[in-house]
Amino acid sequence: MKKRILSFVSLLLCLILSLSMLVSCDNTSTNVSDEASNPETSTETSSDVSGDGEKVYVADIPNKKYDGETFYIHTAFYERGAAGYTLFGNYNDSEYESNVVNDAVENRNYAVEELLDIKIVEKCVESSRTTSGKDHAAMDTIMNAGSETYHMFCPNMYSAASFSMQSRLVNLLDEEYLHDLSEPWWDSFFVKDIAINDRLDFVTGDMTLYARNGLFVTLFNKDIVNNYGIPNLYDLVREKKWTIDKVYEYSKMMLEELDGNGVYNYNDKYGFGGQADTMTFWFYSFGGRIVSANSEGELVNSLYNETNVEFVNKIREFMLDDIYVNANDYFNDPGYKNTPTELLFEAFANDRSMFLNADLVFFKDVGEMKSDFGVLPSPLFDEGIGEYTQALNCWNTNPVCIADYISDEDIEFATIVMEALGAASKNIVTPASVETTLKNQKTRDDDSIEMLDIIFNNVGADIAHVYNWDNMGWMLNNLISNSTLEFSSFAQSYEGALNKAVNDLIEAYQE
């Protein structure tokens, strides 16, 4: 048994959360109030203020006790890149290390268990992040057999999308106690970008920790930036002058061949390190979409147009320059354990690169570097145009969903617990995750907090990334591995398959 680790502050927050939830509920009925059900007033009933002035989020759920009933959760587990975090209290069916995030998960579970008189049990299955992995097969077997009740599944993104297209999941927007997924602990961008015909079978939010930790951001070495006399990068972000042209300009300042082999790589000094994924993520950040809604709200193939040509050409120019070191080029090199990105982390930590594209979960890999580093959102395409936007990294994201093989009573139970877990996650787990991210920097200043707020508050998702038909969500990365391929020819080669995939998706979600 794992020992529950409850700090005084966490215990107090749990108590406030539980009391607030109880006060917000109708003590004589299992139905939510008409006022709370109204979308125009729901935001007013989703939070309260504690005695010390902190906002406390409150789930609008019935005042029910379940007499110790077990709430079963089935999750996909990623051994590599999990950073030692557990989503719901079980780390690979074994003891997990005590850290800020895991302790917060325990505290969150404790608050919800006490509130509803339930026991939360998570089963983890190893995931390949695809529909060919063990977690997908296990979920498929469970649903087919129908003999085991799992109230909530937390699969990899592509499995969730696949089961949704097969109509094997519950439409969460139809469930009374999920309140149209409008509460602040659900990701509103996901509801807006991915719901089709008022149907959404899976969703991300404060419960799905890796949806945030998997975001790709730009790290910069503060000492190197200062040594080159580069302006305050945080101010550039605020002024909306943090653009790909600025990234290119500054990256060119740092290029020095060190190992004498005549080739620039991770052993040298260079401007920017990343993966082929930079193409996909920056294309989205600039405003490019593989699939989008047209003016009539219909989903269409939007891969090829003049604006997207500009985005692709600019990103390719940058990534194919010597100043960009691409980890995907070094899978056959020695010196790393799991992924060649480790070689780029080592170079960044040893002051050999100015910038590094990385997902937030890997901050720990550079946290011991002597120089301080900062975090920035992905750049804009043009100065002063648009907002900084991060693409949801579906490769690292576990949404939550409910399989439709369980009874109506169990589905209701699931939705009530999910709302409680969501509110408690926003109160307890998300602050702990942000704290863990910030503590890996030498200086945790207001600038860093501001940048993380910009990153977390401006996330979006492309349907092509979420459904990833035949790996088409990552198709743009091929433009980096094949540097001579023209974008027009590339888009034309995918046109038929992409159009069919969009039509199949629309057909699957017809009312």
Side-chain angles (χ1 to χ4, degrees):
M1 290 291 292
K2 297 182 289 292
K3 182 180 179 182
R4 296 194 184 278
I5 304 170
L6 297 170
S7 67
F8 174 76
V9 173
S10 294
L11 273 170
L12 181 59
L13 186 54
C14 291
L15 178 61
I16 292 170
L17 173 66
S18 299
L19 290 175
S20 298
M21 285 178 173
L22 290 174
V23 168
S24 71
C25 298
D26 182 348
N27 290 325
T28 62
S29 172
T30 59
N31 296 320
V32 294
S33 68
D34 291 338
E35 180 183 29
S37 300
N38 186 335
E40 296 181 356
T41 62
S42 62
T43 56
E44 297 178 3
T45 62
S46 64
S47 66
D48 206 340
V49 179
S50 67
D52 58 2
E54 292 293 321
K55 178 180 284 189
V56 178
Y57 292 90
V58 179
D60 182 15
I61 56 178
N63 179 16
K64 281 191 172 185
K65 296 289 185 179
Y66 287 95
D67 299 323
E69 184 171 346
T70 299
F71 184 78
Y72 290 102
I73 306 172
H74 193 280
T75 65
F77 173 79
Y78 306 144
E79 184 66 51
R80 180 175 67 80
Y85 300 159
T86 172
L87 289 177
F88 297 102
N90 186 319
Y91 186 65
N92 203 24
D93 293 323
S94 63
E95 296 289 327
Y96 55 82
E97 67 181 35
S98 174
N99 59 40
V100 173
V101 175
N102 287 340
D103 295 349
V105 167
E106 283 289 278
N107 295 346
R108 186 267 322 271
N109 286 2
Y110 179 78
V112 174
E113 288 174 340
E114 290 295 298
L115 172 68
L116 297 174
D117 190 12
I118 63 172
K119 174 64 178 176
I120 295 172
V121 173
E122 175 190 21
K123 180 180 180 180
C124 299
V125 176
E126 183 182 350
S127 175
S128 65
R129 307 171 196 252
T130 70
T131 57
S132 61
K134 293 180 181 179
D135 61 314
H136 184 93
M139 185 172 172
D140 182 57
T141 299
I142 290 167
M143 290 192 294
N144 285 335
S147 56
E148 295 179 90
T149 295
Y150 279 95
H151 300 97
M152 186 176 79
F153 284 86
C154 192
N156 70 72
M157 179 65 78
Y158 308 130
S159 287
S162 174
F163 288 127
S164 176
M165 283 195 70
Q166 298 170 39
S167 298
R168 300 172 73 182
L169 304 179
V170 170
N171 180 5
L172 303 178
L173 295 176
D174 280 346
E175 297 306 313
E176 177 182 7
Y177 297 122
L178 291 179
H179 306 292
D180 296 327
L181 301 174
S182 61
E183 298 288 10
W185 44 85
W186 302 116
D187 285 333
S188 58
F189 75 85
F190 197 88
V191 179
K192 176 178 68 71
D193 293 344
I194 307 304
I196 303 171
N197 292 333
D198 294 322
R199 178 177 159 191
L200 186 65
D201 297 349
F202 52 101
V203 70
T204 60
D206 288 83
M207 254 194 293
T208 58
L209 188 62
Y210 295 135
R212 286 162 176 73
N213 287 351
L215 293 175
F216 263 70
V217 298
T218 302
L219 308 185
F220 71 97
N221 185 307
K222 290 183 178 180
D223 292 351
I224 291 176
V225 165
N226 290 336
N227 290 341
Y228 279 96
I230 292 172
N232 187 305
L233 296 181
Y234 295 130
D235 284 343
L236 287 183
V237 172
R238 297 182 185 106
E239 297 164 4
K240 293 191 176 180
K241 295 180 179 179
W242 173 239
T243 65
I244 187 173
D245 288 334
K246 288 296 184 184
V247 178
Y248 207 170
E249 175 188 344
Y250 301 147
S251 295
K252 286 180 178 179
M253 295 179 178
M254 187 173 177
L255 189 60
E256 183 179 351
E257 215 265 336
L258 297 179
D259 57 11
N261 66 357
V263 178
Y264 291 106
N265 60 26
Y266 55 85
N267 291 313
D268 302 312
K269 288 187 176 181
Y270 57 93
F272 205 109
Q275 303 175 54
D277 300 357
T278 298
M279 169 58 82
T280 292
F281 291 126
W282 281 11
F283 177 80
Y284 186 92
S285 293
F286 293 169
R289 299 293 182 268
I290 299 172
V291 173
S292 62
N294 62 19
S295 56
E296 285 76 38
E298 301 167 331
L299 291 179
V300 295
N301 170 4
S302 55
L303 176 63
Y304 188 78
N305 56 57
E306 291 184 6
T307 302
N308 285 354
V309 170
E310 287 188 71
F311 296 158
V312 167
N313 288 343
K314 177 67 73 172
I315 300 170
R316 288 181 91 182
E317 178 188 5
F318 174 75
M319 292 183 66
L320 295 175
D321 195 292
D322 286 336
I323 54 93
Y324 189 90
V325 175
N326 183 356
N328 295 72
D329 294 336
Y330 303 107
F331 276 103
N332 294 321
D333 282 28
Y336 67 87
K337 181 180 178 182
N338 295 308
T339 167
T341 56
E342 296 165 18
L343 303 172
L344 274 58
F345 284 114
E346 189 273 337
F348 183 76
N350 286 282
D351 299 337
R352 295 203 307 276
S353 71
M354 184 181 297
F355 298 106
L356 174 66
N357 253 7
D359 51 350
L360 291 171
V361 76
F362 286 115
F363 267 35
K364 63 182 181 62
D365 292 341
V366 295
E368 299 302 318
M369 64 187 286
K370 293 181 181 179
S371 300
D372 193 15
F373 70 92
V375 58
L376 302 167
S378 296
L380 300 170
F381 180 70
D382 280 325
E383 189 172 302
I385 298 177
E387 299 294 333
Y388 297 100
T389 305
Q390 307 297 134
L392 181 70
N393 183 3
C394 297
W395 184 251
N396 280 345
T397 297
N398 297 67
V400 292
C401 57
I402 303 171
D404 68 356
Y405 77 94
I406 62 175
S407 69
D408 290 344
E409 183 181 5
D410 282 324
I411 291 173
E412 179 184 286
F413 176 43
T415 62
I416 290 171
V417 177
M418 286 168 66
E419 280 291 282
L421 282 170
S425 295
K426 192 148 191 83
N427 288 322
I428 301 171
V429 179
T430 296
S433 178
V434 173
E435 170 69 13
T436 299
T437 298
L438 290 173
K439 80 173 185 179
N440 284 314
Q441 296 179 246
K442 303 297 180 185
T443 57
R444 293 184 293 166
D445 49 31
D446 291 341
D447 292 324
S448 299
I449 297 171
E450 182 183 354
M451 294 302 111
L452 286 175
D453 284 342
I454 291 172
I455 290 165
F456 291 145
N457 293 332
N458 295 279
V459 183
D462 191 318
I463 282 181
H465 295 173
V466 170
Y467 286 87
N468 197 33
W469 313 281
D470 294 327
N471 209 36
M472 280 189 275
W474 302 98
M475 67 171 79
L476 292 170
N477 294 0
N478 297 331
L479 291 166
I480 301 303
S481 58
N482 188 344
S483 60
T484 62
L485 184 62
E486 288 293 328
F487 183 44
S488 58
S489 300
F490 169 83
Q492 186 176 7
S493 70
Y494 274 101
E495 184 175 10
L498 187 54
N499 287 341
K500 182 180 184 304
V502 172
N503 289 335
D504 289 346
L505 181 66
I506 293 171
E507 185 176 338
Y509 288 88
Q510 290 290 349
E511 293 183 323

